[in-house]
């Protein structure tokens, strides 16, 4: 009986071993079939997963290429100032324009320190957002500029506003463009000097959702008429935040902004008509192919660090002043606002 039990147990053990072996062979056969029939890309990925990624190299993307690193921002470097005109005349007039995005905050951010270093003959400011009664003493008492002129919004406190600070007294200073619907927002100051007019302007923004686009179109027509009338009397310089990037070269992302304020076909056409009326974009006159040259960057998404910007600030010149043009500068390293200052050198 004992021998019979042992014999049966041995037979079962042998049978079990044979079954296990058969299963193993079956699994091996399936694995071989799978590897043989697996797509090449899948085989490579599986091998990579088994080997791990501990060799200190960059992870690979499809086709074995290294993952693309973020591109370094392409910055604009303001070249050395040109202080002679094409005809060889030496520059003797320096004008600076800056949208300060709130005068009081700009003063606290040491904007006046930069102004003293730049030392323009005339300083024009836009978007001051400050009533004359609330102006900081740091700027109202500046001895460098004994002649100061301010214009603010009549309807909204802390909205719009322009200023002009001069080392020499203008012959005459006027405010607005002679139309009540525009002038109540405090957007224009005009100073008459012996050989030219200087106009500083903060042009209306079409607004989020283009809610003011129709108003902007009306402004463009009326403002162009105003400038043309001045130009018929004496050549002029127009400076300020004109709230339009004229061409695709004037902003980082033209395709994504065609329906946004500042780059609509209507606003760009308004600027084109202003040029056609006899005025010249001084920066493009000197640097027609220069890319990545912007004057405004939103505070969001590190736009300034990435140089994702717009060129919204300009010096435009009457044709009669083109022989006097020496240089048109973008001072993009000056901080204190979401805009940077621009400077014009003239040989008057």
């Amino acid at each position: 009986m004992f021998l019979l039990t042992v014999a049966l147990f041995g037979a079962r053990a042998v049978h079990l071993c044979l079954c296990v072996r058969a299963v193993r062979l079956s699994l091996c056969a399936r694995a071989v079939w799978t590897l043989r029939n697996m797509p090449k890309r899948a085989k490579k990925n599986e091998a990579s997963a088994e080997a791990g990624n501990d060799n200190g190299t960059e992870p690979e993307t499809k086709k074995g290429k290294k993952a693309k690193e973020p591109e370094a921002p392409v910055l604009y470097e303001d070249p050395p100032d040109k202080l002679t005109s094409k005809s060889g005349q030496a520059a003797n007039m320096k004008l600076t324009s800056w949208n300060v995005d709130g005068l009081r905050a700009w003063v606290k951010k040491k904007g006046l320190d930069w102004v003293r270093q730049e030392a323009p003959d005339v300083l024009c400011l836009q978007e001051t957002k400050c009533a004359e009664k609330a102006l900081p003493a740091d700027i109202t008492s500046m001895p460098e500029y004994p002649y100061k002129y301010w214009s603010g919004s009549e309807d909204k406190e802390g909205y719009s506003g322009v200023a002009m600070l001069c080392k020499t007294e203008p012959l005459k200073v006027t405010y607005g463009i002679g139309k009540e619907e525009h002038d109540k927002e405090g957007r224009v100051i005009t100073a008459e000097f012996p050989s030219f007019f200087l106009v500083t302007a903060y042009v209306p923004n079409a607004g989020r959702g283009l809610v003011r686009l129709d108003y902007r179109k009306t402004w463009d027509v009326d403002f162009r008429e105003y400038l043309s009338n001045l130009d018929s009397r004496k050549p002029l310089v127009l400076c300020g935040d004109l709230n339009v990037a004229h061409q695709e070269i004037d902003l980082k992302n033209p395709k994504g902004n065609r329906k946004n304020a500042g780059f609509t076909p209507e606003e760009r056409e308004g600027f084109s008509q202003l040029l056609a009326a006899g005025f010249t974009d001084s920066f493009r006159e000197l640097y027609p192919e220069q890319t990545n040259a912007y004057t405004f960057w939103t505070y969001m998404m590190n736009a300034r660090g990435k140089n994702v910007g717009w060129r919204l600030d300009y010096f435009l010149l009457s044709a009669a002043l083109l022989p006097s043009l020496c240089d048109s500068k973008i001072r993009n390293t000056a901080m204190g606002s979401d805009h940077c200052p621009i400077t014009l050198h003239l040989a008057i």
Side-chain angles (χ1 to χ4, degrees):
M1 184 67 178
F2 173 76
L3 292 175
L4 180 60
T5 301
V6 171
L8 289 173
F9 178 80
R12 289 181 180 177
V14 170
H15 178 73
L16 180 61
C17 288
L18 291 173
C19 289
V20 170
R21 187 176 180 182
V23 169
R24 286 179 177 173
L25 290 172
S26 177
L27 291 174
C28 288
R30 289 185 181 180
V32 169
W33 185 91
T34 300
L35 287 171
R36 286 179 178 174
N37 292 278
M38 184 183 293
K40 291 182 179 179
R41 185 177 298 173
K43 289 180 182 179
K44 183 175 182 180
N45 292 342
E46 184 167 303
S48 175
E50 289 178 0
N53 187 28
D54 56 0
N55 58 2
T57 60
E58 292 287 336
E60 294 190 347
T61 59
K62 295 179 180 180
K63 298 184 180 179
K65 294 183 179 179
K66 289 185 177 181
K68 187 177 181 180
E69 295 181 0
E71 293 182 3
V74 180
L75 305 178
Y76 171 69
E77 294 186 8
D78 189 29
D81 292 16
K82 300 174 185 176
L83 297 179
T84 56
S85 67
K86 290 183 178 180
S87 62
Q89 295 177 289
N92 59 1
M93 175 66 71
K94 187 177 187 180
L95 310 174
T96 291
S97 175
W98 198 348
N99 178 320
V100 294
D101 189 30
L103 181 68
R104 285 167 288 190
W106 173 76
V107 167
K108 290 179 181 178
K109 295 174 184 176
K110 308 298 181 182
L112 290 177
D113 290 351
W114 183 89
V115 170
R116 290 189 171 98
Q117 292 177 359
E118 185 78 351
D121 296 297
V122 182
L123 172 67
C124 297
L125 305 176
Q126 303 88 40
E127 205 172 359
T128 55
K129 299 179 180 179
C130 186
E132 191 169 351
K133 62 183 179 182
L135 291 167
D138 288 355
I139 194 168
T140 59
S141 62
M142 285 185 77
E144 300 94 327
Y145 299 99
Y147 306 101
K148 307 177 182 69
Y149 309 95
W150 316 93
S151 181
S153 172
E154 297 177 4
D155 294 339
K156 300 178 183 178
E157 189 171 347
Y159 174 75
S160 189
V162 291
M164 186 181 294
L165 287 71
C166 307
K167 287 185 176 181
T168 59
E169 186 175 12
L171 300 176
K172 183 179 180 181
V173 174
T174 59
Y175 302 88
I177 64 174
K179 291 185 178 291
E180 176 61 23
E181 63 176 312
H182 305 312
D183 295 347
K184 63 183 179 181
E185 293 190 354
R187 293 186 176 275
V188 176
I189 296 176
T190 301
E192 182 179 359
F193 292 94
S195 55
F196 69 102
F197 287 106
L198 175 60
V199 181
T200 185
Y202 176 44
V203 170
N205 190 301
R208 187 182 298 275
L210 304 180
V211 294
R212 297 195 86 191
L213 181 58
D214 287 341
Y215 171 69
R216 168 62 182 270
K217 290 159 64 177
T218 300
W219 161 279
D220 284 347
V221 172
D222 294 341
F223 190 45
R224 184 171 67 250
E225 181 183 3
Y226 171 75
L227 295 174
S228 295
N229 287 336
L230 288 179
D231 190 40
S232 66
R233 297 162 51 194
K234 188 182 291 188
L236 67 84
V237 175
L238 166 64
C239 70
D241 177 1
L242 305 189
N243 258 318
V244 60
H246 184 218
Q247 303 292 352
E248 291 191 357
I249 196 175
D250 295 315
L251 74 166
K252 182 67 174 181
N253 295 316
K255 290 183 180 179
N257 283 291
R258 297 189 190 282
K259 297 181 180 180
N260 290 334
F263 199 61
T264 62
E266 294 87 347
E267 292 163 300
R268 296 170 65 191
E269 176 59 23
F271 192 90
S272 293
Q273 290 181 13
L274 184 57
L275 298 183
F279 304 102
T280 298
D281 177 352
S282 62
F283 184 80
R284 285 292 169 224
E285 175 70 13
L286 297 173
Y287 308 100
E289 305 298 329
Q290 179 62 59
T291 59
N292 303 300
Y294 309 125
T295 66
F296 165 79
W297 306 262
T298 177
Y299 284 123
M300 299 183 292
M301 304 295 291
N302 189 31
R304 190 160 190 170
K306 298 174 183 177
N307 199 28
V308 179
W310 302 55
R311 190 169 73 95
L312 302 179
D313 303 83
Y314 298 80
F315 279 105
L316 301 189
L317 306 178
S318 295
L321 287 178
L322 282 179
S324 300
L325 175 61
C326 298
D327 210 351
S328 187
K329 314 301 297 175
I330 294 179
R331 307 299 201 196
N332 60 325
T333 60
M335 308 302 287
S337 170
D338 51 1
H339 291 248
C340 73
I342 56 175
T343 289
L344 185 73
H345 290 290
L346 292 175
I348 297 295

